[in-house]
Amino acid sequence: MKICILVRILWSAGTRKFAISEAKDLRSMGHDVELVFLRKSAKVNVYDDLLKDIKVFVLSERNESLFVPLYDYITGVFMSNRKGEGRVDYNLIRKFPSFAKDRGYDLIICQDQWAGLAGYYNWKKYGTDYLVIIHERVNDLPWVKGWKRLLVKIALNYQRKILLNAKGVFSITRKVARTVENFYSNYGLKRGDAFPGLANRGFRGYGERENSITLLSYWNEVKFPDQYIPLIREIRNYRLIMIGNWISNEYREEFLKKLQAGGLLARVELRENVSENEKADLLSKSKFFIRFGIGEFGMATGTVEALECGTPVIVNEELGISDYLRDYSNCLIVSEVSKVEEIKKFIESNDNPVSYGNLQEEIRRMIRDFSWQNHCKLLLKSVSEIGVQSPHELTEGAND
């Protein structure tokens, strides 16, 4: 089967790494796979090593359309922190069918619903089946107010067409899947959860670990770096390493000032623009990994990467990956991010060779249970079982 995996932007973020791993395993299963990005980002070289030996196409090195300011504005209406590098480029979405026309794809796997819009347009024009993988929760964007709700109505109308005409709709976690099913309950849209595969990247044992705790994210106002300050204050015997880029230098400086005001600056290290190898080294040297998510139902890629390095994780139950971690004794799941004493107790009670070894054995068990091959088999096996195509929607879509 010739498969296209379609991603909107080639930049340093979890969805891109997910797509790369998916492409590699589908290829290892014997499929002809092409990884297509609609646009490059300035911060793209972090994945250079991972992209080796994959067929990669980028439709636009830099979107030079006169309508870019308009796309920025519209994107900002929905998510203010996605303007600029994270914007939705409608002209490139429209361009995709022309690119795909003669490539002979049997299936297009779209990484998020707006990549799915490109798949939808291509399906209307050339009839190629497409899947959509939802990476973030689906809702009616309640924070958008006033006349801008008209834009929300238009966007949700497109989203409905995209998902109802897809051959299959998958979500990255069960929590995300439930939001999709609940939002489209009137249409009977079925969905599956397609948790990513896990790989053993090589475990350092307890004796090879440092007294450090890693945190990994793209630090911005919806990732709430401030929520970790009480934890930094109480966990005194460990150095905390915050890995990841910041939405702006100003936002980073504001956070550093808060740490300085609390006398915590010396215990925190910020690491930005790290390569994949550097990141894996930091994760595998640390004793624990912490990731909280407020309103985040996704997997939190850093949590997956920590597990692959054999590092026990601490998460809150709202984070989507918590549903999968519950079946294993390799972590701590807290009901509230304010449970500092509970977190401190977990760290202290497992900071010894025997307990730590038990946690790592449970991580190995989880990795054995989840694999990229199982993930890819699920996508391909369930293509005809999960997608729902309403005759009304097919007729309506053809007239767009």
Side-chain angles (χ1 to χ4, degrees):
M1 185 183 294
K2 187 165 185 180
I3 300 173
C4 168
I5 298 180
L6 182 61
V7 188
R8 289 190 299 108
I9 311 165
L10 175 52
W11 65 347
S12 176
T15 301
R16 288 81 205 160
K17 191 169 183 182
F18 176 96
I20 292 167
S21 297
E22 195 173 73
K24 286 185 174 182
D25 218 274
L26 282 167
R27 186 189 61 183
S28 74
M29 293 167 67
H31 299 286
D32 183 1
V33 183
E34 295 182 352
L35 184 55
V36 178
F37 296 91
L38 296 183
R39 173 170 56 84
K40 263 189 179 180
S41 160
K43 298 174 181 177
V44 67
N45 60 339
V46 68
Y47 289 150
D48 282 356
D49 289 341
L50 294 180
L51 289 168
K52 289 178 180 176
D53 304 321
I54 303 177
K55 294 180 184 176
V56 179
F57 297 89
V58 179
L59 268 61
S60 176
E61 294 288 323
R62 181 171 177 267
N63 192 352
E64 297 181 348
S65 168
L66 295 175
F67 293 101
V68 164
L70 177 62
Y71 303 148
D72 260 339
Y73 175 77
I74 294 174
T75 302
V77 167
F78 301 112
M79 295 288 284
S80 60
N81 66 327
R82 300 290 174 89
K83 293 169 67 174
E85 292 281 22
R87 72 175 170 271
V88 177
D89 296 289
Y90 186 71
N91 63 314
L92 301 181
I93 288 171
R94 273 295 197 182
K95 181 180 178 181
F96 175 74
S98 298
F99 167 82
K101 179 182 177 182
D102 298 318
R103 303 208 66 81
Y105 295 136
D106 299 301
L107 180 68
I108 298 169
I109 301 175
C110 305
Q111 303 292 341
D112 84 14
Q113 51 271 59
W114 304 116
L117 182 56
Y120 169 70
Y121 284 139
N122 190 70
W123 166 78
K124 279 176 42 181
K125 201 163 186 179
Y126 302 114
T128 308
D129 288 333
Y130 67 97
L131 305 178
V132 179
I133 298 180
I134 307 292
H135 288 260
E136 298 178 354
R137 65 195 298 180
V138 170
N139 56 38
D140 67 350
L141 309 168
W143 55 87
V144 182
K145 307 293 184 183
W147 70 267
K148 294 176 182 177
R149 292 298 302 173
L150 176 61
L151 295 176
V152 171
K153 185 176 180 180
I154 294 171
L156 293 180
N157 183 53
Y158 272 108
Q159 181 175 267
R160 175 173 55 84
K161 292 176 186 294
I162 293 161
L163 299 186
L164 292 181
N165 288 292
K167 192 70 173 177
V169 177
F170 295 84
S171 299
I172 201 72
T173 65
R174 293 169 195 153
K175 280 187 170 68
V176 172
R178 284 192 288 270
T179 71
V180 176
E181 189 166 84
N182 292 339
F183 198 76
Y184 291 101
S185 59
N186 292 338
Y187 296 93
L189 177 67
K190 296 179 181 179
R191 82 294 175 270
D193 64 288
F195 189 75
L198 297 173
N200 189 324
R201 306 294 181 191
F203 289 16
R204 281 188 168 104
Y206 175 82
E208 299 174 274
R209 301 268 172 165
E210 299 174 350
N211 264 20
S212 65
I213 297 172
T214 46
L215 300 84
L216 171 61
S217 189
Y218 174 55
W219 301 107
N220 56 50
E221 65 274 13
V222 298
K223 298 300 172 69
F224 303 105
D226 289 9
Q227 69 187 328
Y228 299 100
I229 291 178
L231 199 60
I232 297 168
R233 186 179 296 116
E234 292 300 320
I235 302 178
R236 300 179 180 277
N237 298 325
Y238 302 84
R239 180 168 52 100
L240 276 87
I241 305 172
M242 298 182 72
I243 307 170
N245 295 329
W246 292 72
I247 191 169
S248 70
N249 191 56
E250 291 76 17
Y251 192 74
R252 177 182 181 276
E253 291 303 313
E254 285 178 16
F255 180 71
L256 289 174
K257 286 177 183 177
K258 292 173 185 176
L259 292 179
Q260 189 169 26
L264 305 173
L265 198 57
R267 297 215 300 270
V268 181
E269 179 182 347
L270 304 189
R271 296 292 296 269
E272 301 171 67
N273 300 313
V274 299
S275 68
E276 287 296 296
N277 288 336
E278 288 175 302
K279 180 169 60 175
D281 190 54
L282 290 168
L283 291 171
S284 64
K285 284 181 180 177
S286 293
K287 285 184 177 174
F288 301 94
F289 176 89
I290 299 176
R291 177 66 158 84
F292 298 145
I294 307 301
E296 286 186 73
F297 289 0
M299 62 179 180
T301 304
T303 309
V304 170
E305 292 172 329
L307 291 169
E308 291 181 329
C309 292
T311 306
V313 301
I314 299 166
V315 301
N316 64 315
E317 63 182 16
E318 192 171 1
L319 203 61
I321 196 173
S322 66
D323 289 334
Y324 303 86
L325 290 169
R326 290 184 195 285
D327 296 331
Y328 304 88
S329 301
N330 57 16
C331 65
L332 172 68
I333 303 171
V334 293
S335 57
E336 302 288 342
V337 300
S338 59
K339 301 279 188 179
V340 175
E341 284 303 315
E342 186 178 348
I343 295 168
K344 188 177 177 182
K345 182 178 178 181
F346 174 81
I347 290 172
E348 291 175 348
S349 63
N350 288 288
D351 194 354
N352 64 79
V354 175
S355 298
Y356 202 86
N358 292 335
L359 291 175
Q360 288 195 315
E361 191 52 45
E362 278 292 284
I363 294 174
R364 289 188 179 93
R365 185 167 74 90
M366 185 176 184
I367 290 173
R368 288 193 295 269
D369 290 346
F370 290 93
S371 71
W372 276 107
Q373 187 171 77
N374 287 340
H375 166 90
C376 294
K377 284 180 178 178
L378 173 67
L379 294 186
L380 300 182
K381 177 185 176 183
S382 303
V383 161
S384 61
E385 300 172 6
I386 291 182
V388 175
Q389 292 185 330
S390 158
H392 169 71
E393 286 297 317
L394 292 174
T395 304
E396 181 184 359
N399 295 325
D400 283 354

